[in-house]
Amino acid sequence: MTAFTILMLAAALAFGLAKVFRLPPIPLLMLSGVGLRALADLGATEISDDLLQEMTQIGLAMLVFTAGVELSPRRMRGRTRPIVILAITQFFALGAAGFVTAVLLGYDLTNALYVGCALSASSTLVVVRQLQRRRQMFEPYGRLVLGVLLLQDVFIVLLMVALLKSTEGPWASILGVIKTIGIGIFALGMHRWFVPWVTQNLRLDDEELMLGALATLFIFAGMAYLLDIPFLVGAFFAGFALSAFPMNGLVRGMLGSLSGFFLALFFISIGAFLTLPSLEVLGHSLILIAVLVVVTITLVSIVTEALGYSTRAAIESGILLSQTSEFSLLLALTGLASGQINDELFSMIALITVTTMTFTPLIARDRVVWTLMKMHPRYKRGEVRCGDMSDHAVFLGFGRAGSRNLQTMQQNGIEVVVIDDDAGVIRKLIDEGIPCIQGDASDVDVLKRASCHRARIVLCSMRRSRDVEEVIRFLKNSPVKVVVNTFETAETERVKAIGGYPIETSRAAADSLLHWMETNLKNPPKATT
């Protein structure tokens, strides 16, 4: 009991320091574990390895269970093809890059295979938190990333089972994979039929929901134990079974604090198991982190843009996926327990995982995205005529209504310049002979290249209000009329206050609907024979 209290005090101290100094809590939790291990070795505390192993296993179970709850396959609807292509491309290309790099660094084939597998998947925990913070869970690229995470988690679970059983021979590996697929099919059946039936027909209170979720976790863990595969595989598929809406939201709310508590103890326990890495291991870790980040951002950006997503969405997807997964720790722990990897390699994989999970939220910022977008190959042919134009219209973002607005301007003899960050849109405009600039529409240099000061009108369809405000301030002392699409009354008033001309999109749509209803309901069209 005393040892457990010490663990909780260490977790509280780490979270307190993280809040005071505004630092990510995970590295501090692991440093707390390292400190506790040092004190235990000196005899100052009594923390047994058995307790640490139990906390690690319980924490991992909650970690992968929570990850499974977030990954509903319904988010893949309508995007199956790009999700499958991107997931397979990233998983195997990054795994191959990690494997080759480890071999070149002098690791044997088994250790290199573990390193490649550890690098191949991205963290569901980190990505979901970032998307929730940005409120982008249901945007097209958010759904794409979540679908990729689901497939990657399934891939690494299968690989983990195959690696664990490889010491018993190839047939044992194949049989283990088949059993894992069987549990996955059972979880999919629960997800599609049983869980929706429960939510529709049974009125469960909060306590019953929590007990039901924990019972599902224990049932799947028990199935995995009986089938002689890691019980954590069962924990992941238990979460997946409960990922159907609205059950996933209810479970997330019920178990949020509980899972956070055990995750804190998990990272402290992981820190206690770490060995002090040598300078050589630190150097190898930095090399592998660089390979992971560079390959992921570059590869995901290229593939995502080729699949039809915008340049910005492609780069944001690459940044969000540029870290290793909580399953990497699970894989490393499995390899360590089976004797296939040593303490040093386990510490290296843990170091890479924690570093990249901490690093990703720091680089997933607009400033970094725009910096990378400026490195994207530009299509200068579209800018040739822009510098000599005047009394023209400038579109800041082409958007869905771009083609219709462009046609209206052309019919009235007004030349148009389009500024957009999407390379696909720019290519299409160049083919049609429309002057255009690929870049950030809130960038002063880009606005100057489009001759905005000499324009007749500037049409803003940018989503971020702060970008719109930058444009209006830049053109404040010019006679240019800046027309802005707005979506909320507060946003409309803010645009008016700083000198723009807002068009509230929702109100315009409502007016159009009322006009159609008045026209068609009062004078219904005659039936044709």
Side-chain angles (χ1 to χ4, degrees):
M1 188 65 184
T2 303
F4 189 73
T5 303
I6 293 173
L7 289 177
M8 289 192 293
L9 289 174
L13 178 62
F15 275 112
L17 292 174
K19 187 172 183 179
V20 170
F21 295 103
R22 297 181 181 180
L23 297 172
I26 293 177
L28 294 179
L29 289 168
M30 295 190 68
L31 286 175
S32 298
V34 173
L36 289 178
R37 168 59 71 180
L39 292 175
D41 292 340
L42 294 174
T45 61
E46 296 181 0
I47 300 179
S48 66
D49 288 345
D50 291 339
L51 175 63
L52 293 175
Q53 289 176 356
E54 289 175 0
M55 291 299 100
T56 301
Q57 291 179 348
I58 294 174
L60 259 180
M62 295 301 299
L63 187 65
V64 298
F65 177 68
T66 305
V69 169
E70 299 290 353
L71 298 177
S72 173
R74 293 189 177 186
R75 293 194 174 105
M76 296 177 62
R77 286 182 178 176
R79 296 175 177 84
T80 303
R81 178 178 173 272
I83 286 173
V84 171
I85 292 174
L86 181 58
I88 292 176
T89 302
Q90 184 202 350
F91 186 85
F92 290 101
L94 197 57
F99 176 81
V100 171
T101 304
V103 170
L104 293 176
L105 291 174
Y107 293 90
D108 61 38
L109 294 182
T110 300
N111 286 338
L113 187 59
Y114 266 92
V115 171
C117 291
L119 264 62
S120 59
S122 304
S123 172
T124 302
L125 179 67
V126 171
V127 174
V128 168
R129 285 183 178 176
Q130 284 297 110
L131 290 174
Q132 288 175 340
R133 186 178 63 83
R134 297 175 171 191
R135 299 180 181 179
Q136 294 176 329
M137 288 282 287
F138 300 100
E139 290 195 8
Y141 98 93
R143 291 175 178 268
L144 173 74
V145 170
L146 290 173
V148 169
L149 290 171
L150 173 59
L151 290 186
Q152 286 184 350
D153 287 349
V154 172
F155 292 158
I156 200 167
V157 164
L158 295 175
L159 276 174
M160 181 186 67
V161 173
L163 281 172
L164 182 63
K165 294 294 183 180
S166 63
T167 56
E168 303 174 18
W171 286 112
S173 293
I174 294 173
L175 184 59
V177 170
I178 292 173
K179 292 176 181 178
T180 304
I181 293 174
I183 293 182
I185 293 173
F186 180 72
L188 181 61
M190 283 192 63
H191 170 89
R192 294 191 62 180
W193 293 294
F194 181 71
V195 172
W197 179 85
V198 169
T199 55
Q200 292 173 9
N201 295 279
L202 301 181
R203 296 181 179 179
L204 302 177
D205 57 29
D206 292 348
E207 293 182 357
E208 290 171 334
L209 277 172
M210 178 177 288
L211 290 175
L214 293 176
T216 303
L217 173 59
F218 293 142
I219 288 171
F220 275 86
M223 290 173 59
Y225 175 78
L226 292 175
L227 293 174
D228 193 26
I229 57 178
F231 81 95
L232 294 171
V233 174
F236 170 71
F237 282 118
F240 174 78
L242 298 175
S243 65
F245 178 84
M247 180 63 76
N248 56 348
L250 297 173
V251 172
R252 189 189 307 120
M254 292 298 101
L255 298 180
S257 300
L258 184 64
S259 62
F261 170 75
F262 283 110
L263 288 180
L265 297 181
F266 164 73
F267 283 110
I268 290 178
S269 301
I270 287 291
F273 280 119
L274 293 179
T275 59
L276 186 64
S278 63
L279 291 177
E280 182 182 25
V281 171
L282 285 175
H284 291 176
S285 300
L286 292 175
I287 292 172
L288 289 166
I289 289 172
V291 169
L292 167 68
V293 174
V294 172
V295 172
T296 301
I297 294 178
T298 304
L299 181 66
V300 171
S301 298
I302 292 173
V303 174
T304 304
E305 189 174 328
L307 291 170
Y309 288 79
S310 69
T311 303
R312 181 184 179 90
I315 292 175
E316 287 182 324
S317 299
I319 292 175
L320 284 178
L321 293 171
S322 62
Q323 81 288 129
T324 50
S325 171
E326 49 272 2
F327 281 95
S328 301
L329 292 174
L330 172 57
L331 180 71
L333 281 171
T334 303
L336 182 65
S338 65
Q340 292 178 308
I341 65 173
N342 55 27
D343 293 340
E344 192 174 58
L345 187 64
F346 167 77
S347 297
M348 187 177 76
I349 292 175
L351 179 62
I352 293 172
T353 300
V354 173
T355 302
T356 53
M357 290 175 71
T358 305
F359 185 63
T360 298
L362 300 178
I363 65 172
R365 302 175 183 270
D366 288 342
R367 184 178 300 177
V368 176
V369 173
W370 288 121
T371 300
L372 293 176
M373 286 179 63
K374 291 178 181 178
M375 299 170 63
H376 191 285
R378 294 174 178 269
Y379 299 87
K380 296 292 185 182
R381 288 187 292 119
E383 302 182 16
V384 173
R385 296 171 49 209
C386 299
D388 299 327
M389 297 177 68
S390 62
D391 201 33
H392 57 295
V394 181
F395 290 7
L396 305 184
F398 202 56
R400 296 180 179 179
S403 298
R404 185 176 57 187
N405 292 334
L406 177 62
Q407 185 178 9
T408 300
M409 295 294 176
Q410 291 174 333
Q411 289 174 350
N412 289 276
I414 301 175
E415 289 189 294
V416 173
V417 174
V418 178
I419 300 175
D420 202 286
D421 60 16
D422 189 343
V425 170
I426 296 298
R427 283 196 297 266
K428 183 178 179 181
L429 293 171
I430 291 174
D431 292 339
E432 295 176 359
I434 307 299
C436 54
I437 299 173
Q438 181 186 351
D440 177 6
S442 65
D443 189 327
V444 172
D445 293 332
V446 174
L447 295 174
K448 289 179 179 178
R449 290 208 305 270
S451 303
C452 283
H453 278 107
R454 298 197 300 269
R456 179 186 304 185
I457 186 172
V458 172
L459 302 177
C460 290
S461 59
M462 298 183 291
R463 292 179 300 173
R464 292 173 172 81
S465 58
R466 62 178 178 272
D467 292 344
V468 174
E469 292 173 6
E470 289 291 331
V471 172
I472 295 175
R473 290 192 183 95
F474 174 71
L475 298 172
K476 187 174 183 179
N477 297 323
S478 67
V480 182
K481 184 176 182 180
V482 182
V483 179
V484 182
N485 288 335
T486 60
F487 299 90
E488 298 176 355
T489 302
E491 185 181 4
T492 299
E493 296 301 322
R494 187 165 57 251
V495 169
K496 285 181 181 179
I498 61 177
Y501 295 83
I503 297 177
E504 195 166 336
T505 305
S506 57
R507 184 176 298 173
D511 290 342
S512 299
L513 176 61
L514 289 173
H515 175 72
W516 180 89
M517 291 176 65
E518 290 175 358
T519 303
N520 289 273
L521 294 180
K522 290 181 180 179
N523 302 299
K526 295 180 181 180
T528 58
T529 58

